[in-house]
């Protein structure tokens, strides 16, 4: 396992006409980890992945993969780097095995027979390996795309929504495979809209919104930064909500059926409760709970609906 990061992107900027797709984005992924890349639709996740894989020319910033500088102009990426970004395309009149064999020859893979067998087994495609791709379902094509990435025996694997077209059982298998690849020493960068998937796989996250990083660090750090969620019932929820709007380090929203949800750390909550008492508002119930990754994501990005990709 290498000592330094498998991927180190610093200050990456990309502009399309008058639109900033990426603005000084940093992302560092280390061997042995699955690093989550989150953001609403149109945030810049896929653009960043395409930059990292040398598919899109960046306007500024630096990218190092496996300790080597990636030139700003598009060109070949080092061996050991692979990715599955957007919908994979294959020759429909060739079988899955023949498509992979062609890719292996183009990539200079020698004695590819054993590796083909391995990646077909890893992705569950062995029973369908000799079927023409034209007969593949969307999920099978997604698996074949993952198999093509694994042909490179990656030490850095970039995956953009790898389970989006899969049934629950197949998605579970792909998640287990991503975890295994990381456990074997590779760095996996995973973009997903499935928060349960990210929470189950990733120890570190980069969250981008409108082309800018809004959080980078461990999942536990994100929970500490955004505060603990509390459920509060008072004698006057309206007055409590109004008081919350002027309390630093605290966010509160009304809950249907009564009460408030309050996001705050311990010190901010203590000050708020004292303020409620001073204002003559009685606290009737206060309960703390863990926060889902989805609620933290929504709070960070202010996301409340689909945005254009």
């Amino acid at each position: 396992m290498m000592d330094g990061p498998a991927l180190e992107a610093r200050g990456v900027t990309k502009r399309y006409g008058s639109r900033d797709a990426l603005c000084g984005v940093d992302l560092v992924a280390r061997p042995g980890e699955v690093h989550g890349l989150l953001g609403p639709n149109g945030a810049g996740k896929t653009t960043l992945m395409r930059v990292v894989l040398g598919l899109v020319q960046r306007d500024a910033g630096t990218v190092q993969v496996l300790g080597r500088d990636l030139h700003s102009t598009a060109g070949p990426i080092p061996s050991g780097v692979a990715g599955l970004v957007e919908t994979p395309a294959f020759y429909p009149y060739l079988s899955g095995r023949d498509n992979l064999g062609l890719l292996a020859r183009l990539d200079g893979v020698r004695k590819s027979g054993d590796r083909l067998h391995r990646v077909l087994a890893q992705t569950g495609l062995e029973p369908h390996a000799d079927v023409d791709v034209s007969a593949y379902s969307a999920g099978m094509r997604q698996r074949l795309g993952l198999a093509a990435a694994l042909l490179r025996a990656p030490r850095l694997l970039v995956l953009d929504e790898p389970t989006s077209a899969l049934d629950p059982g197949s998605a579970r298998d792909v998640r287990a495979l991503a975890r295994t690849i990381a456990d074997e020493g590779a760095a996996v960068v995973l973009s997903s809209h499935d928060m349960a998937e990210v929470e189950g796989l990733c120890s570190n996250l980069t969250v981008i919104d409108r082309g800018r990083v809004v959080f980078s660090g461990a999942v536990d750090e994100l929970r500490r930064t955004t505060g603990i969620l509390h459920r509060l019932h008072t004698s006057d929820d309206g007055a409590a909500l109004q008081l919350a709007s002027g309390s630093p380090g605290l966010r509160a929203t009304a809950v249907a059926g009564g009460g408030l949800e309050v996001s705050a750390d311990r010190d901010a909550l203590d000050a708020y409760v004292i303020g409620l008492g001073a204002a003559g508002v009685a606290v009737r119930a206060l309960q703390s709970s863990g926060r889902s990754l989805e609620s933290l994501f929504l709070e960070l990005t202010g996301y409340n609906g689909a945005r254009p990709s």
Side-chain angles (χ1 to χ4, degrees), residues 190-206:
L190 172 76
S191 170
S192 176
H193 282 106
D194 185 335
M195 295 299 161
E197 177 173 84
V198 172
E199 196 158 15
L201 280 175
C202 305
S203 54
N204 290 282
L205 303 171
T206 297

Side-chain angles (χ1 to χ4, degrees), residues 5-23:
L7 167 64
E8 186 169 8
R10 297 291 185 187
V12 174
T13 297
K14 178 62 183 177
R15 190 175 182 86
Y16 292 106
S18 60
R19 183 174 71 88
D20 291 321
L22 298 171
C23 304

Side-chain angles (χ1 to χ4, degrees), residues 19-201:
R19 183 174 71 88
D20 291 321
L22 298 171
C23 304
V25 170
D26 295 344
L27 190 152
V28 177
R30 301 185 181 281
E33 76 169 15
V34 182
H35 188 107
L37 178 60
L38 304 182
N41 291 336
K45 304 184 300 297
T46 298
T47 298
L48 178 60
M49 289 181 153
R50 293 175 70 86
V51 166
V52 166
L53 293 171
L55 300 172
V56 167
Q57 181 177 343
R58 64 189 182 272
D59 295 325
T62 62
V63 177
Q64 274 200 342
V65 290
L66 304 181
R68 293 176 53 184
D69 291 328
L70 188 69
H71 296 299
S72 60
T73 54
I77 58 175
S79 60
V81 178
L84 175 60
V85 179
E86 299 183 324
T87 305
F90 298 96
Y91 292 108
Y93 50 83
L94 295 179
S95 68
R97 190 189 307 276
D98 288 343
N99 267 283
L100 292 178
L102 177 60
L103 288 171
R105 290 194 297 274
L106 290 172
D107 205 27
V109 177
R110 296 182 178 180
K111 299 180 180 179
S112 60
D114 289 343
R115 190 170 297 179
L116 284 178
H117 176 76
R118 182 183 182 193
V119 300
L120 286 166
Q122 283 178 306
T123 54
L125 279 175
E126 256 190 326
H128 314 283
D130 297 308
V131 176
D132 286 355
V133 170
S134 60
Y136 278 21
S137 66
M140 291 169 67
R141 288 172 187 257
Q142 190 82 343
R143 285 173 174 267
L144 189 60
L146 182 57
L150 295 179
L151 274 176
R152 307 199 90 212
R155 290 180 290 148
L156 170 63
L157 179 61
V158 178
L159 298 175
D160 186 15
E161 300 284 347
T163 62
S164 60
L166 302 180
D167 60 77
S170 298
R172 181 192 61 231
D173 293 343
V174 170
R175 287 192 290 269
L177 179 56
R179 181 70 266 168
T180 298
I181 291 167
D183 288 344
E184 291 175 350
V188 179
V189 178
L190 172 76
S191 170
S192 176
H193 282 106
D194 185 335
M195 295 299 161
E197 177 173 84
V198 172
E199 196 158 15
L201 280 175

